[in-house]
Amino acid sequence: MKKTLLSLLIHGLSFAGFAQTFTVSGNVKNQQNETVGFAAVSINQSKDSTLVKADVADEQGTFKISGIPDGKYFVRISAVGQQMYHSAVFDVAGQDVKLSAISLLPEAKQLSEVKVTGTKPLIEVKNDRMVFNVEASINATGSNALDLLQRSPGVQVDRDENILVRGKTGVRIYIDGRPSPLAGKDLASTLKSMNSADIEAIEIITNPSAKFDAAGDLGIINIRLKKNARLGTNGNVSLGGMFGITPKYNASLNLNHRDKKLNVFGNYGFNQGAWHNTTYDDQILNNIAYNKVWHGIWRDTTHSAKIGADYFINSKNTLGFSANGRISNHNGGGESETFISKRNNLTADSLILSSRTSNPEKNKNLNLNVNYRYADTTGHELNIDADYGRFSSRGISYQPNKYHFQTTSDTPIERNYVSKTPVDITIKSFKIDYEQPFKKGKLGYGVKLSDVKSDNTFNFFNVLQNVEVIDTNRSNRFKYLERVYAAYVNYNISLGKKWDLQAGLRAEHTKSLGDLTSYKHNDLDKVDTTYLSFFPSGAISFRASKNHTWNLNYSRRINRPSYQNLNPFEYRIDELVYSKGNPFLKPEYANSFKLSHVYKGILTTSFGYRRTRFPVVGLRIPYDSSRTYFITENLDYSQGFSLDMSLTTPITKWWELNFNISGYHNLWKAALDNGVVVNNRTTAFNLNGQNTFKLKNSWTIELSGWYNSPYRRIDYNWQMGMVDIGVQKKFWKDNASLKATFSDVFHTARGGYTSAYAGIETRLRFRFEGQMLRVNFNYRFGSKEIKAARSRRSGSEDELNRIKG
C-alpha cells in the first residue's frame, strides 16, 4: 500500500518541465501626459485572447505583473473616462519586458467595467510562508478545517487530534490573522466545525518575523477565511453532502456589497453529521492485560455567521468592524468493552467491563474586532486593532460502567459517574502597528497588550441509586489569568538589486496567575509566574540570478503551557484512565534556522535546524495497580533537522502537478523525576501531492493524497495515508460548479502506536471514517468584476488577490 500511494503521488516527476516565468511592467498616462492611477490591466495570449493574468496599476499608474511564461501576448487596459487600450503583440522570450509609455485616449462614454478572471495555484511558496489555496483543490470540498490541516504541506494530525509540524507539537493556530486561545480537544472541536467552503487558504509560517506574537515554537498556521474585494453586490451559495457510514450535510451563504465608500459583508454556514471511529486499546499493567474495543460516534451540529463593514473615509483612512460567532452542539460518545485478565492467560477471574458513554457539549464563540488604518503614498502606514472574544462550553460526561464476571454467575457490579465541566474564556487585546520609510528601507514597530481569563470548573458525581452525589475529592474550580505586554521593532531593506535584509526584536513580559478552589486542601492552590523574554528574528535573501533565489532566516519563539495542562487537579476520563495537570510546567523556548532555495519560482528546497529547551510531551503513568493517568511533563531538550521540497509545475497544457515532501530527524532527551528516562530518536517524513487534469468542456479530474511515515516521540506511531479522486464540472458560464470526490480510495484511514515505559505496555490501533463520497454544488451570483472606477485601496485589499477564479 505504501508503494502504491507513493507511486500515485510522485508519478510524473521525471517528466516535469520547469516553466520559467518573467515580469511585464509599464506605466499608464492620459493624452495630457498625466498619470492614470488604478487602471485595470490584463495580459492576454495573442492567439486566442485568453487571459493569463490581471492586476490594477498603482496610484502613479505603474503596473508590474509577474509569472508570465515565454510566449506572445498583448495588454488590455481600461480606466474611467478613457478608451479601452489594446497594445501591439509583444514577445516574452527569456527575459522581463518593460513596455513603452502607454497613453490612453479620452472617451465621452464611461466604460462600465472590465472582467478579470484567473486561477490560483494549489501551493504558493513565498519568502516567509507556504500557502495552501483551498479553493484550488476539488478534493478539499466538503472537508473541515482539521481535515485540511492534515492535507497541508508538512502538517500532521495525530491520533489525539494534536497538530504537528515535522513530528512535533508547538505550532500556534491563527484564524483570520488572530491567534486562537484554544488548545487540545477545544481547538479540535472548533476546527472540525469549520467547513472548507468558508476557508480561502491555509498559511504555514515556520519562522515568523518580530511583528507576530512569539507564541508557537514551531511557528504559525493561519486559517484565512474568504473575503471579497469586488465592487457591486455579489454572493456565493454552497450546498454539500458526504455519504459514508451515515450522511452528513453542509451549506453556506456569502453576501457582499461594495461601493466607493462602503464595503458590507456577511456569511452564514451550517454543518451537521455523525462521524464514526473504532479503537482497539491493548494495555498491560502489573501483569494484567486490559483489551479494550471502542466504537465511537462524534455527532456535530454547527451554525456560524460573520458580519462586518469597512468605511473608506478618504484615500488614506479606513475604519472597519467585524463580528463572527459560532454555536456548536457536539456529542462524542460510544460503546466499549474491556476484557480484563492475567497476561496471556484467560483464567476464572477474568472480567469484562462494559461502558456506554455520552458526552453532550454546547460551545459558543463570539469575536469582535474594530480596526483603523492610515496609509499614505509615501510609505507611512498605521494599523490599530482592538479585539474582544468570548468562548464558553457547557459539557456533561455520562460514564456508566458495568463489570461482568465471565466464568461465574455473580451479579454484575455497576459504577456510574457523571462529570460537568463548564468552561468560560475571555480574550481582550489591543495593538498598534506602524511602518515608515527609513534609510532606504522600511522600519516597523508596535506594541500589544493581550489579556486572557479562563474559568474551568470540574464537578464530579458518583451516581448512587440514580442520584448524583458530588465527589468532593475530585471536584474543583481553576481560574487562570494571563497577561502579555509586548513591543517590537522590525526593519526591512534592499541592499542593491540582489540582497534583501530583515531584522527584528520582540520583547514580551508575561504574568500568569492560577487559582485553584477545591473541597480538599491542595498545596498547589496558587500558581504565580512572571517572566520577561526577548525574541530576535532575521532573514537574508539573495537573488543569485533570475532562476535562483536563496533565503536564510532565524527566529526564537516560545510555547506557553495551556491553562488546562496547568490545572493541578485530576479528573476521570473513564473508569480506568485519569488525567492530571502539572502546575510546574515551564514554557518551551525554541531557536530555529532555515535555509531555502527557490528555482525558477516552481521548486523550493529548504534545510532547517531547531533546538527546543523544555519541550512538553504527554506521558501515561501508573495511577495505582490497575489504573493509569495522563500527565504533561517538560523534557530537558529536543533538537531536529529537516529537509523540505515543494514543487508546483505544469507538465503539459492539461496536466499540473503539485507535490510536497518533508523529511526530519528529531532527538528527545530527559531524565524525569518519576524515573522515566527519555532518549529517543526518529527519522521520518510526510508528503502530500495533487495531480490536476484539465479536460475539454470545463471538466477537471483531480488525484490527490497524503502520507505520514512511522515516527517516534515518546510513543512509536504507525504510518498513515489516504488517496482521494475527484471530478469537477463548471457550467452556467463558469458561475456554477459541481464537484464529486471519493475519499480514502484504498481504505487506509487508520493508524496506531506502541509504547513501553514506566511499567506500562500499550498497543493502540484506530481507524476513522475516511472512505466516503463527497458532493458539492457551488453558485456565484451578482457582480463578478473589478470596477475601473475605483480610485483608492483599502487596508484589506493590500492582502487580497484581485483575481478571483
Side-chain angles (χ1 to χ4, degrees), residues 693-744:
F693 307 95
K694 297 179 180 179
L695 309 181
K696 295 181 179 179
N697 301 319
S698 298
W699 284 93
T700 304
I701 295 177
E702 183 178 288
L703 176 67
S704 64
W706 57 268
Y707 172 78
N708 298 332
S709 75
Y711 67 95
R712 185 172 188 179
R713 285 180 292 173
I714 303 300
D715 307 322
Y716 178 81
N717 295 265
W718 302 351
Q719 65 182 9
M720 290 183 63
M722 182 188 292
V723 171
D724 301 339
I725 187 168
V727 62
Q728 172 183 269
K729 168 65 177 176
K730 291 185 177 181
F731 48 96
W732 296 347
K733 298 182 179 180
D734 288 349
N735 293 325
S737 66
L738 184 64
K739 304 177 183 179
T741 297
F742 185 63
S743 62
D744 193 16

Side-chain angles (χ1 to χ4, degrees), residues 81-153:
Q82 310 295 323
Q83 294 183 23
M84 178 76 74
Y85 172 85
H86 293 262
S87 76
V89 174
F90 60 89
D91 284 333
V92 175
Q95 62 183 358
D96 297 339
V97 174
K98 182 174 177 57
L99 301 175
S100 302
I102 297 167
S103 180
L104 305 184
L105 300 175
E107 182 178 78
K109 183 178 180 180
Q110 181 176 328
L111 295 174
S112 59
E113 49 193 34
V114 54
K115 186 174 181 179
V116 184
T117 61
T119 302
K120 292 182 180 180
L122 180 72
I123 303 293
E124 292 181 274
V125 180
K126 302 183 179 181
N127 275 341
D128 65 338
R129 70 194 62 192
M130 184 176 292
V131 182
F132 171 34
N133 289 306
V134 176
E135 289 181 304
S137 174
I138 298 171
N139 291 341
T141 300
S143 303
N144 59 51
L146 197 65
D147 293 334
L148 293 177
L149 288 176
Q150 180 69 275
R151 300 167 186 263
S152 301

Side-chain angles (χ1 to χ4, degrees), residues 750-767:
R750 62 188 68 191
Y753 76 96
T754 58
S755 66
Y757 61 87
I760 304 172
E761 297 179 35
T762 302
R763 184 175 186 268
L764 184 142
R765 297 157 290 154
F766 65 88
R767 65 169 182 260

Side-chain angles (χ1 to χ4, degrees), residues 579-760:
S579 182
K580 185 178 181 180
N582 181 1
F584 298 110
L585 279 179
K586 303 173 185 177
E588 299 177 318
Y589 291 94
N591 290 276
S592 61
F593 299 83
K594 188 175 183 180
L595 176 65
S596 301
H597 171 252
V598 181
Y599 175 67
K600 291 186 177 181
I602 60 174
L603 176 65
T604 300
T605 307
S606 62
F607 175 77
Y609 170 76
R610 181 181 306 273
R611 184 180 177 91
T612 303
R613 189 182 180 192
F614 308 130
V616 174
V617 297
L619 301 174
R620 193 172 188 174
I621 305 296
Y623 181 86
D624 55 24
S625 61
S626 61
R627 293 174 290 183
T628 59
Y629 71 92
F630 289 99
I631 190 169
T632 305
E633 295 274 7
N634 290 107
L635 303 184
D636 294 336
Y637 74 92
S638 69
Q639 65 180 10
F641 298 88
S642 63
L643 180 63
D644 304 322
M645 185 191 79
S646 178
L647 173 68
T648 300
T649 182
I651 297 176
T652 67
K653 292 182 178 180
W654 50 269
W655 181 6
E656 182 175 287
L657 172 69
N658 293 272
F659 179 79
N660 177 269
I661 182 168
S662 298
Y664 56 89
H665 176 81
N666 290 340
L667 166 68
W668 312 80
K669 280 207 169 187
L672 304 179
D673 294 338
N674 55 25
V676 175
V677 176
V678 179
N679 186 9
N680 294 340
R681 299 173 183 266
T682 188
T683 300
F685 69 95
N686 55 71
L687 61 84
N688 49 49
Q690 176 172 300
N691 291 275
T692 303
F693 307 95
K694 297 179 180 179
L695 309 181
K696 295 181 179 179
N697 301 319
S698 298
W699 284 93
T700 304
I701 295 177
E702 183 178 288
L703 176 67
S704 64
W706 57 268
Y707 172 78
N708 298 332
S709 75
Y711 67 95
R712 185 172 188 179
R713 285 180 292 173
I714 303 300
D715 307 322
Y716 178 81
N717 295 265
W718 302 351
Q719 65 182 9
M720 290 183 63
M722 182 188 292
V723 171
D724 301 339
I725 187 168
V727 62
Q728 172 183 269
K729 168 65 177 176
K730 291 185 177 181
F731 48 96
W732 296 347
K733 298 182 179 180
D734 288 349
N735 293 325
S737 66
L738 184 64
K739 304 177 183 179
T741 297
F742 185 63
S743 62
D744 193 16
V745 175
F746 300 105
H747 202 27
T748 54
R750 62 188 68 191
Y753 76 96
T754 58
S755 66
Y757 61 87
I760 304 172

